[in-house]
Amino acid sequence: MGHAEHVCEQLRAHCEGMQLPLESCGDDTSLVRRSLVCGYFLNAASKLPDGMYRCLANSQTVALHPSSILFNKKPDTVLYNELVRTSKLYIREVSMIEMPWLTELAPVFYSGADT
């Protein structure tokens, strides 16, 4: 939780520095998740029929880390921050995203035919 608080403090400072209003998104986290896609679009993965995931940038097969809050939900498309190798490859620090966001927000990397 300390890391999340630190990130929140950084975001608050940046917003205040740019004189942006500090408003909660409430239950609609799509703007935050879309902003993550802009920075981490290379770390997108889509769910395979067996419940594993395929990294879209390099086609590696990975699994959601068991500590992930999304482990039992298995969303169709995710964005991850960390790739961990133990007995297999795991992705951690995962956010649920929508596949169309990739072509919209990173069109140079993702064409409609690739996703």
Side-chain angles (χ1 to χ4, degrees), residues 1-12 93:
M1 190 62 151
H3 180 69
E5 290 171 346
H6 180 67
V7 169
C8 185
E9 290 172 16
Q10 287 180 328
L11 290 172
R12 181 185 311 275
E93 299 177 10

Side-chain angles (χ1 to χ4, degrees), residues 20-76:
L20 296 172
L22 297 175
E23 298 175 4
S24 172
C25 63
D27 291 336
D28 182 12
T29 60
S30 62
L31 289 177
V32 174
R33 292 182 293 127
R34 287 171 59 91
S35 69
L36 290 172
V37 170
C38 290
Y40 291 98
F41 61 88
L42 289 174
N43 293 2
S46 61
K47 187 171 69 172
L48 298 170
D50 65 358
M52 298 288 284
Y53 285 82
R54 178 179 57 89
C55 295
L56 299 179
N58 60 19
S59 298
Q60 284 184 304
T61 300
V62 297
L64 286 179
H65 194 274
S67 67
S68 172
I69 191 104
L70 297 176
F71 182 73
N72 290 322
K73 294 187 180 204
K74 301 270 195 265
D76 290 334

